[in-house]
Amino acid sequence: MTDFSTSRRSLLKGGASLLAAAATMSGDELLGYAKAWAETSQWKPEAGAKVNLLRWKRFVEAEDVAFMKIVDAFQKANNVTINVSNESYDDIQPKASVAANTGQGLDMVWGLYSLPFLFPAKCVDMSDVADYLGKKCGGWAPSGEAYGKYNGKWIGIPVAATGGLVNYRMAAAEKAGHKEFPKDLAGFADLVKGMNKNGTPAGMALGHASGDANGWLHWALWAHGGNLIDKDNKVIINSPETAKALEYVKGLYENFVPGTASWNDSSNNKAFLAGQLYLTVNGISIYVTAKTENPQMAADINHAHLPAGVDGKTRELHLGFPILVFNFSKFPQTCKAFTAFMLEPDQFNPWVQAAQGYLSPFLTGYNSNPIWTSDPKNTPYRDVAATANTPAGIGKMGEDAAAAIADFVVVDMFANYCTGREDLKTAMATAERSAKRIFR
C-alpha cells in the first residue's frame, strides 16, 4: 500500500507548493497560536522536557513538512524538545516492543494498526485527550473508538488512517465491460477476469505486506461472512463462510498479474506506475505520485471502495495510525499536550490538506476539509473511518488480535490455498491452529 524507503519510492516534488497553498498560518502565526494555546491548555509540559517520538517514515513530503512545522511551533512555545525519528512500518513494531520491554528509549510511538494493544499495560491513559478532541472536532467515528479504547479507557489516539481502496485505470475497466465500478462481489470478480483477458491485469499482494495483503484479504474474509474470531474472541476461522472466501480469492488470484504471492507493500505501487498493473488496492499514493510524474496516467486513474459483502455491508481494513505514550515516560504531560495540540483544527486541517488524501482522520469534523471535494477522485478516501474495522473484526481488540495480524494468520491462509501449498481444508485448519495458539 505504501513504499517508504527512498530507494523504493519517489517523494512528491510538488508537495511543498501544495502545502504553501493549503496552510492558513505562517510559521510566525503558528508559533503565536501555539503560545496562546499553551497558556490555556489543561496539560502543562514538564520543565525542560525532552521527548523521543518514533513515527512511520513519510511518503508525501508535504505531509512531513507540515508535521515538522507543528513540532517546531510546539517546542518553541513550551520550551521543550521533541526528537522525531522515522522508521518504516515493519521496523516500528520491533523498536516499540524493545522500548516497552526495557522501559527506556522512547516516550511516544506513532505506528500502524493495533500497536497500543500489543502492550496496553505500558500505555498512558489518554482518555482526557480523547475527550477533549472529540468534543472540539465533531466526535470520534466508531472505528476511531475501536482503535483507541481498551477496557473503557483510551490507550492510544487514532490520528488518522491511510485508506486501502481500489485504484484502477478507467479505460481498462470500461474495456472489460464496467463503465461504473461494480458494487458487488460477482461484478468485481467479473471485472478482474475481464481485465486479465484484455491484457490489462489486476493484482493485490498475497505476501507478507503489512498494509496491502492484510487489508484486502481481511475484506474478502469479512465480505463472505467469515471471521477469525467471534464477539467473545473465540476462534471461528474454520467455517463454510471462510471456505467461500478462499474460493473467491483464488478465482481473483488466477487472473492476477504473476508474482503477487511474494509482493511486499511497495510491489503494487511500482507495477502500477510502470504501466504493468491496472487495478490494485492501495492508498491514494499511486494517484498522487502519478499526478506529478505521469499526468496522462493520473487522468485515467480513479478510486472506489471495495464491494459490499454478501449481507450488503462494506467492511474494510484500513491502515490506522494510532499514537501512544509509554507510562514510563518522564514527561507524560508534555506528550499529552503535544498530542492534543497536533490534532487541533488550526494546524491539523492544513496538515490533512498537505497529505493530499493520504491521511483520513477518525475525528468526524475533518470530513469537511476541502481536500475531499477539491478533486472528486479524493472523495472516497474521506469515508475511510465509516467503513473501517479493526483487525479484530467482530471481536474485541486486544493483545491477541494485534498479535494475529502481526503474524499474518489470515494472509498466510489465503496465500497457502491460492498458491497450492495447501488444499482448502488444510489451509483453514492451519490458520485455526495458529489462531488458537494466540487466542487462549
Side-chain angles (χ1 to χ4, degrees), residues 277-414:
L277 184 64
Y278 293 77
L279 184 152
T280 193
V281 174
N282 205 67
I284 203 170
S285 51
I286 290 173
Y287 176 57
V288 173
T289 301
K291 284 193 293 183
T292 301
E293 299 182 357
N294 191 339
Q296 185 175 355
M297 177 185 286
D300 188 41
I301 294 174
N302 208 348
H303 306 110
H305 284 271
L306 284 154
V310 293
D311 62 357
K313 297 180 180 179
T314 300
R315 300 177 182 86
E316 296 168 323
L317 179 61
H318 302 293
L319 292 174
F321 292 112
I323 192 167
L324 65 86
V325 177
F326 283 123
N327 58 12
F328 49 79
S329 171
K330 298 177 181 178
F331 315 110
Q333 291 300 304
T334 304
C335 296
K336 285 188 172 188
F338 175 72
T339 304
F341 179 73
M342 183 172 73
L343 271 72
E344 284 280 359
D346 290 87
Q347 62 267 5
F348 195 61
N349 265 314
W351 182 13
V352 170
Q353 285 182 275
Q356 303 179 59
Y358 188 70
L359 294 179
S360 301
F362 287 101
L363 287 160
T364 61
Y366 292 112
N367 288 349
S368 59
N369 190 294
I371 194 65
W372 309 123
T373 51
S374 59
D375 181 346
K377 294 180 180 181
N378 296 347
T379 306
Y381 287 92
R382 176 191 61 196
D383 303 321
V384 161
T387 62
N389 278 240
T390 71
I394 61 173
K396 299 173 184 175
M397 196 61 230
E399 294 173 79
D400 294 341
I405 197 168
D407 289 349
F408 295 97
V409 172
V410 168
V411 171
D412 286 345
M413 177 186 70
F414 280 101

Side-chain angles (χ1 to χ4, degrees), residues 1-6 8-13 15 55-65 86-87 89 162 265-266 269-270 273 282-290 292-293 321 351 354-359:
M1 180 168 297
T2 39
D3 187 359
F4 288 90
S5 69
T6 303
R8 291 161 58 191
R9 55 98 178 103
S10 28
L11 291 171
L12 304 176
K13 298 174 183 176
R55 65 156 286 180
W56 47 274
K57 277 186 178 178
R58 72 187 188 189
F59 176 74
V60 178
E61 186 174 23
E63 177 274 315
D64 186 62
V65 172
N86 304 270
E87 296 288 350
Y89 280 162
T162 289
D265 278 315
S266 69
N269 296 59
K270 291 179 180 178
L273 290 166
N282 205 67
I284 203 170
S285 51
I286 290 173
Y287 176 57
V288 173
T289 301
T292 301
E293 299 182 357
F321 292 112
W351 182 13
Q356 303 179 59
Y358 188 70
L359 294 179

